[in-house]
Amino acid sequence: QVQLVESGGGLVQPGGSLRLTCTASGFTFSNYAMSWYRQAPGKEREFVASTGSLGISTNSAESVRGRFTISRNNARSTVYLQMNSLKPEDTAVYYCHVAQFSTWGQGTQVTVSS
Protein backbone atom coordinates (compact mmCIF):
# COMPACT_ATOMS: atom_id res chain seq x y z
CA GLN A 1 0.00 0.00 0.00
CA VAL A 2 1.04 3.62 -0.44
CA GLN A 3 3.10 4.94 2.46
CA LEU A 4 4.53 8.41 2.99
CA VAL A 5 6.87 9.06 5.91
CA GLU A 6 7.87 12.64 6.68
CA SER A 7 10.83 13.61 8.85
CA GLY A 8 13.19 16.47 9.58
CA GLY A 9 10.95 18.84 11.48
CA GLY A 10 11.87 20.53 14.72
CA LEU A 11 12.17 23.78 16.63
CA VAL A 12 14.11 26.53 14.90
CA GLN A 13 14.62 30.24 15.49
CA PRO A 14 13.26 32.84 13.05
CA GLY A 15 15.63 33.15 10.12
CA GLY A 16 16.82 29.58 10.51
CA SER A 17 16.66 26.64 8.11
CA LEU A 18 15.36 23.10 8.06
CA ARG A 19 15.24 20.36 5.44
CA LEU A 20 12.25 18.06 5.43
CA THR A 21 12.36 14.59 3.92
CA CYS A 22 9.50 12.41 2.69
CA THR A 23 10.20 8.78 1.88
CA ALA A 24 7.58 7.04 -0.26
CA SER A 25 6.78 3.40 -0.90
CA GLY A 26 4.04 1.27 -2.41
CA PHE A 27 3.97 2.91 -5.83
CA THR A 28 6.30 3.77 -8.71
CA PHE A 29 7.64 7.00 -7.29
CA SER A 30 9.26 8.27 -10.48
CA ASN A 31 5.90 8.29 -12.29
CA TYR A 32 4.20 10.81 -10.02
CA ALA A 33 4.36 14.47 -9.15
CA MET A 34 4.87 15.10 -5.45
CA SER A 35 3.69 17.92 -3.23
CA TRP A 36 4.20 19.35 0.21
CA TYR A 37 1.30 20.72 2.26
CA ARG A 38 1.11 22.19 5.73
CA GLN A 39 -1.51 22.70 8.40
CA ALA A 40 -1.18 25.27 11.14
CA PRO A 41 -3.24 25.05 14.35
CA GLY A 42 -6.83 26.10 13.73
CA LYS A 43 -6.29 26.47 9.99
CA GLU A 44 -7.01 24.36 6.94
CA ARG A 45 -4.31 22.38 5.21
CA GLU A 46 -2.65 24.45 2.49
CA PHE A 47 -0.44 23.81 -0.50
CA VAL A 48 3.25 24.63 -0.10
CA ALA A 49 5.14 23.32 -3.13
CA SER A 50 5.11 20.66 -5.82
CA THR A 51 7.48 19.02 -8.25
CA GLY A 52 6.86 17.09 -11.45
CA SER A 53 7.78 13.45 -11.80
CA LEU A 54 11.26 14.24 -13.14
CA GLY A 55 11.91 17.07 -10.71
CA ILE A 56 12.32 19.56 -13.55
CA SER A 57 9.15 21.59 -13.07
CA THR A 58 8.31 23.01 -9.67
CA ASN A 59 5.65 25.27 -8.22
CA SER A 60 5.27 26.92 -4.84
CA ALA A 61 2.85 29.04 -2.87
CA GLU A 62 3.48 32.75 -2.93
CA SER A 63 3.99 32.78 0.84
CA VAL A 64 7.10 30.59 0.58
CA ARG A 65 8.45 31.52 -2.84
CA GLY A 66 12.12 32.41 -2.73
CA ARG A 67 12.54 30.79 0.70
CA PHE A 68 11.50 27.15 0.21
CA THR A 69 12.82 24.77 -2.44
CA ILE A 70 11.33 21.40 -3.34
CA SER A 71 13.47 18.67 -4.88
CA ARG A 72 13.38 14.90 -5.31
CA ASN A 73 15.60 11.87 -5.69
CA ASN A 74 13.77 9.25 -7.72
CA ALA A 75 16.42 6.61 -7.05
CA ARG A 76 15.65 6.93 -3.34
CA SER A 77 11.88 7.53 -3.68
CA THR A 78 12.38 10.67 -1.66
CA VAL A 79 11.17 14.24 -1.91
CA TYR A 80 12.71 17.11 0.05
CA LEU A 81 11.67 20.56 1.17
CA GLN A 82 14.53 22.92 1.93
CA MET A 83 13.19 25.75 4.09
CA ASN A 84 15.28 28.88 4.58
CA SER A 85 14.59 32.23 6.25
CA LEU A 86 11.89 30.62 8.36
CA LYS A 87 9.23 32.80 9.93
CA PRO A 88 6.92 32.16 12.90
CA GLU A 89 4.01 31.93 10.46
CA ASP A 90 5.66 28.88 8.90
CA THR A 91 4.87 26.94 12.08
CA ALA A 92 2.73 23.96 11.07
CA VAL A 93 2.66 20.23 10.55
CA TYR A 94 4.12 19.51 7.12
CA TYR A 95 2.91 16.64 4.93
CA CYS A 96 3.93 15.22 1.59
CA HIS A 97 1.22 14.04 -0.77
CA VAL A 98 0.54 12.39 -4.10
CA ALA A 99 -2.54 13.80 -5.79
CA GLN A 100 -3.60 10.46 -7.24
CA PHE A 101 -3.75 8.75 -3.85
CA SER A 102 -5.78 9.55 -0.76
CA THR A 103 -2.99 8.62 1.64
CA TRP A 104 -1.42 11.16 3.97
CA GLY A 105 1.56 10.50 6.20
CA GLN A 106 1.76 11.39 9.87
CA GLY A 107 3.44 14.70 9.07
CA THR A 108 6.39 16.38 10.72
CA GLN A 109 6.07 19.33 13.09
CA VAL A 110 7.93 22.54 12.29
CA THR A 111 7.97 25.21 14.99
CA VAL A 112 9.58 28.59 14.35
CA SER A 113 10.02 30.49 17.57
CA SER A 114 12.62 32.43 19.52
Side-chain angles (χ1 to χ4, degrees):
Q1 70 277 22
V2 173
Q3 286 192 317
L4 302 167
V5 179
E6 301 92 344
S7 62
L11 173 64
V12 63
Q13 293 187 344
S17 298
L18 283 174
R19 188 175 85 152
L20 306 184
T21 299
C22 170
T23 302
S25 61
F27 63 102
T28 305
F29 182 80
S30 59
N31 286 353
Y32 293 89
M34 296 294 298
S35 300
W36 283 96
Y37 285 76
R38 66 185 181 185
Q39 187 166 20
K43 295 188 177 181
E44 294 198 355
R45 195 169 295 182
E46 65 175 1
F47 169 79
V48 176
S50 64
T51 176
S53 61
L54 298 180
I56 297 173
S57 63
T58 62
N59 188 26
S60 59
E62 186 174 352
S63 59
V64 306
R65 203 164 293 155
R67 301 188 297 122
F68 291 10
T69 302
I70 187 171
S71 61
R72 65 190 294 161
N73 184 326
N74 283 348
R76 296 185 176 183
S77 297
T78 301
V79 60
Y80 306 99
L81 186 68
Q82 177 67 43
M83 306 187 297
N84 299 327
S85 302
L86 282 160
K87 304 175 181 180
E89 51 264 42
D90 295 319
T91 295
V93 178
Y94 284 72
Y95 303 87
C96 64
H97 186 57
V98 188
Q100 289 86 347
F101 304 118
S102 60
T103 302
W104 292 87
Q106 83 289 348
T108 186
Q109 175 71 49
V110 172
T111 302
V112 185
S113 175
S114 55

